[in-house]
Structures are given as structure tokens and as C-alpha cells.
């Protein structure tokens, strides 16, 4: 996901959408990956929107990266 996000950022998008609708969990390594993807996007002024379909993923994000849910949408 990080490589794909970097490639997309190279094309100067207006928004980067990460589809997590198939994810059932979002533990430490996945949350760290999301943070690693969001940091360069934020530095370039590109908002990151998440598609989150499970309560478990939304709950994990709320505890690991509170700002991540500001741009989260249900599947």
C-alpha cells in the first residue's frame, strides 16, 4: 500500500483515497503504515480519505491515529 500511495502522490492528485473496506483489523503495524502514507501526503497538501467498513478498524484508528478518522467514510 505504501508503494502504491507513493506512486499516486507522484501524480499530484487532489485527494488520496485509501480503501480499507476489506480490512478486519488495524493493529500497530497497519496503523503505522497508514501514518507513514499520510505524512508525505500531508506534506504535499494532499488530503487522505479512508474507506472504513468495520467498527473494529475504526476503533483501532481512533486509538492509534485520531486524525485518520476525520476523513473516513463507510464502504
Amino acid at each position: 500500500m505504501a508503494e502504491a500511495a507513493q506512486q499516486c502522490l507522484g501524480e499530484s492528485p487532489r485527494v488520496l483515497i485509501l480503501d480499507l473496506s476489506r480490512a478486519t483489523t488495524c493493529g500497530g503495524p497497519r496503523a503505522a503504515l497508514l501514518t507513514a502514507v499520510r505524512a508525505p501526503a500531508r506534506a504535499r497538501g494532499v488530503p487522505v480519505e479512508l474507506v472504513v467498513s468495520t467498527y473494529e478498524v475504526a476503533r483501532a484508528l481512533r486509538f492509534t491515529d485520531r486524525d485518520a478518522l476525520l476523513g473516513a467514510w463507510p464502504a
Side-chain angles (χ1 to χ4, degrees):
M1 178 171 60
E3 290 176 22
Q6 289 299 329
Q7 185 177 16
C8 288
L9 286 174
E11 297 173 11
S12 302
R14 290 192 289 170
V15 65
L16 179 64
I17 300 172
L18 302 177
D19 186 353
L20 305 177
S21 62
R22 293 187 180 187
T24 57
T25 62
C26 190
R30 286 186 182 161
L33 178 63
L34 285 174
T35 301
V37 167
R38 288 178 66 232
R42 185 177 287 164
R44 293 179 183 193
V46 177
V48 177
E49 303 284 330
L50 302 177
V51 177
V52 178
S53 63
T54 66
Y55 172 77
E56 292 80 9
V57 172
R59 184 172 185 248
L61 288 172
R62 184 175 51 217
F63 289 112
T64 58
D65 189 356
R66 297 180 70 169
D67 290 340
L69 289 179
L70 293 176
W73 303 93

